[in-house]
Amino acid sequence: MPQRGRPRGFDADEALERAVEVFWRQGYEGASVSDLTAAMGINKPSLYAAYGGKEELFRKAVARYAEKDMAYARNAFAQPTAYEVVATLLRENVVAVTRTDRPAGCLSIQGGTACSSDNAPVAGFLAASRLAGEGALADRFARAVAEGDLPAHADPVALARFVMIVSEGQAVHAAAGVSREDLRQAAEIALAGFAAASGARLPEQATQTV
Amino acid sequence: MPQRGRPRGFDADEALERAVEVFWRQGYEGASVSDLTAAMGINKPSLYAAYGGKEELFRKAVARYAEKDMAYARNAFAQPTAYEVVATLLRENVVAVTRTDRPAGCLSIQGGTACSSDNAPVAGFLAASRLAGEGALADRFARAVAEGDLPAHADPVALARFVMIVSEGQAVHAAAGVSREDLRQAAEIALAGFAAASGARLPEQATQTV
DNA sequence: CTATTTATGTACCGAGCGGTACTGATCCGA
DNA sequence: TCGGATCAGTACCGCTCGGTACATAAATAG
């Protein structure tokens, strides 16, 4: 179907990308519509016509973030063993939250853990999406138990929770300015903890020490 | 020195306590001055006269929070061994971020990890205070190395970072509504990781498994 | 008593918020 | 070339923001 009417004067996908960065840096409440339109290079009515409003734009931004900036997580899930899943997840998470071409931390947390009662749905939406990722990881660990890759007594849900907690802590730390190398050390300690607590089969020799 | 002029019609300390809860639940930016005065039971001019302004009130609220709600941390630091310091810290942190008589999570994170550029000092202040706690923990671990309680090759700074990362993740998770018991499991995994990675002397038998 | 000092409560300030009405500009199809 | 459709830009909406002026109430000092 050919286009009808005047064509859009900006790239909606690229403008959304700019919005991602503003929300990431300033949070949902800290990002004003004026901040957003300035970064996106458009006017307010264009924002409302193309995305529906501030909250809808935020949800679209989070979706884009999950697809582009969290791609490493899907890659991690595809690793053959639970240990390698966690190793990839934690190490790649450290890289993701400390990219120099991106705001520090993670949009899912920077977006807002707390907010005014008016915006409570936003914080709830972010929390739910984080917990959804945790559920997917638990499913992956359950598969590992079924495959004998994790021992039968391992608790997939508890292990997934631990890994996500570490990831979230890494993101908070990164937002505070902690360096990639410093976070890497912490990731290795967490990985050792995972190995010790889960009884996971290790790829090489022993757990690392700091 | 006797009082001069009309006496204050409210308890400044109790009102500050109410402000702590509002900031904790809604974050710095999400808490409007009207929200605060309503919860504190005072009018705006009283707030400005007694505390100086919104940002000053927030700083006083954080100070009060650190003194009252983080008392468990000072208790943890006084434990005799590094392992017990971490065990107390992580376990008590789980309790602190899931109190039913308090907002979920931790003011230091709920207060705001990201915010508008106008309020950047607030986020920076919170990040700095978290990292200060991490430094204190690193000092405690350094003492443990000196005392032979941690092996000489243990890295106090890296270990402290790991523990704080887990604490922050626990707070984020708690704010998302995860239960105390669920967080406890994660704390035990982290503790096992600390033991495995640090080579700390354990109080009893072996590391726990989930 | 009056004078002084401090707190309270109302009413208000300029500024910015999220969101929109309206006027033109720019494309398509007929 | 013209009509319908969609977008762009300005200018504005009501509302709330953080913060304050001002008049009044309640205490002490003399």
Side-chain angles (χ1 to χ4, degrees):
Chain A
M1 184 182 303
Q3 81 178 4
R4 304 251 311 167
R6 178 174 174 173
R8 183 171 282 151
F10 62 97
D11 182 327
D13 215 52
E14 201 164 317
L16 180 57
E17 182 56 43
R18 297 288 89 74
V20 167
E21 295 199 344
V22 174
F23 281 129
W24 194 342
R25 223 182 320 262
Q26 307 190 2
Y28 177 74
E29 290 189 323
S32 73
V33 174
S34 301
D35 291 337
L36 291 162
T37 54
M40 298 166 83
I42 64 177
N43 299 353
K44 269 196 274 190
S46 297
L47 188 156
Y48 282 83
Y51 306 96
K54 188 188 178 184
E55 184 170 340
E56 289 82 353
L57 174 63
F58 181 70
R59 295 182 125 92
K60 290 182 168 76
V62 171
R64 184 190 169 85
Y65 173 84
E67 190 199 336
K68 305 278 184 184
D69 292 275
M70 300 269 294
Y72 72 89
R74 287 185 291 281
N75 174 45
F77 277 48
Q79 296 296 312
T81 68
Y83 181 89
E84 286 169 295
V85 168
V86 175
T88 306
L89 210 46
L90 290 178
R91 289 169 181 157
E92 289 298 311
N93 180 61
V94 167
V95 173
V97 298
T98 57
R99 301 193 73 90
T100 54
D101 59 343
R102 284 287 191 178
C106 152
L107 172 59
S108 185
I109 290 174
Q110 299 296 102
T113 54
C115 53
S116 75
S117 47
D118 288 348
N119 295 322
V122 171
F125 160 68
L126 285 176
S129 66
R130 289 194 304 266
L131 293 179
E134 182 172 312
L137 184 58
D139 291 346
R140 179 64 186 82
F141 288 157
R143 197 187 98 196
V145 170
E147 290 171 346
D149 171 42
L150 283 179
H153 62 76
D155 182 341
V157 172
L159 291 170
R161 194 151 42 223
F162 169 72
V163 172
M164 293 303 288
I165 283 172
V166 172
S167 296
E168 289 167 356
Q170 298 269 32
V172 173
H173 246 60
V178 176
S179 79
R180 177 175 292 185
E181 205 47 52
D182 288 348
L183 294 182
R184 246 195 270 268
Q185 288 182 299
E188 297 306 323
I189 297 178
L191 191 52
F194 173 80
S198 70
R201 287 195 290 109
L202 303 188
E204 293 124 40
Q205 58 273 35
T207 65
Q208 292 180 250
T209 310
V210 175
Chain B
M1 184 182 303
Q3 80 178 4
R4 305 248 316 162
R6 178 173 175 173
R8 183 171 281 151
F10 62 97
D11 183 328
D13 215 52
E14 202 165 314
L16 180 58
E17 182 55 42
R18 299 286 91 75
V20 166
E21 294 199 345
V22 174
F23 281 129
W24 194 341
R25 222 181 320 263
Q26 307 189 2
Y28 178 74
E29 290 189 325
S32 73
V33 174
S34 303
D35 291 336
L36 291 163
T37 53
M40 298 165 83
I42 62 177
N43 298 351
K44 269 195 274 190
S46 297
L47 189 156
Y48 282 83
Y51 307 96
K54 187 187 179 184
E55 184 170 339
E56 288 82 353
L57 173 63
F58 180 71
R59 295 181 125 92
K60 289 182 169 77
V62 172
R64 183 189 170 86
Y65 173 84
E67 189 199 338
K68 306 277 184 185
D69 292 274
M70 300 269 295
Y72 72 89
R74 285 185 292 279
N75 173 44
F77 277 47
Q79 296 297 310
T81 68
Y83 181 89
E84 285 168 296
V85 168
V86 175
T88 305
L89 210 46
L90 290 178
R91 289 169 181 158
E92 289 296 313
N93 180 60
V94 167
V95 173
V97 299
T98 57
R99 300 193 75 91
T100 54
D101 59 342
R102 285 285 189 177
C106 152
L107 172 60
S108 185
I109 290 173
Q110 299 295 102
T113 54
C115 54
S116 74
S117 48
D118 288 348
N119 295 323
V122 171
F125 160 67
L126 284 176
S129 66
R130 290 194 304 266
L131 294 179
E134 182 172 314
L137 184 57
D139 291 346
R140 179 64 186 81
F141 288 157
R143 198 188 97 195
V145 171
E147 290 171 346
D149 171 43
L150 283 179
H153 63 76
D155 183 339
V157 171
L159 292 169
R161 192 151 43 224
F162 168 73
V163 172
M164 293 302 289
I165 283 172
V166 172
S167 296
E168 289 167 357
Q170 298 269 32
V172 173
H173 245 58
V178 176
S179 78
R180 177 175 292 185
E181 206 46 52
D182 287 349
L183 293 182
R184 247 195 268 268
Q185 288 182 299
E188 296 307 322
I189 298 178
L191 191 53
F194 173 80
S198 69
R201 286 194 290 108
L202 303 188
E204 292 124 41
Q205 57 273 34
T207 64
Q208 292 180 251
T209 311
V210 175

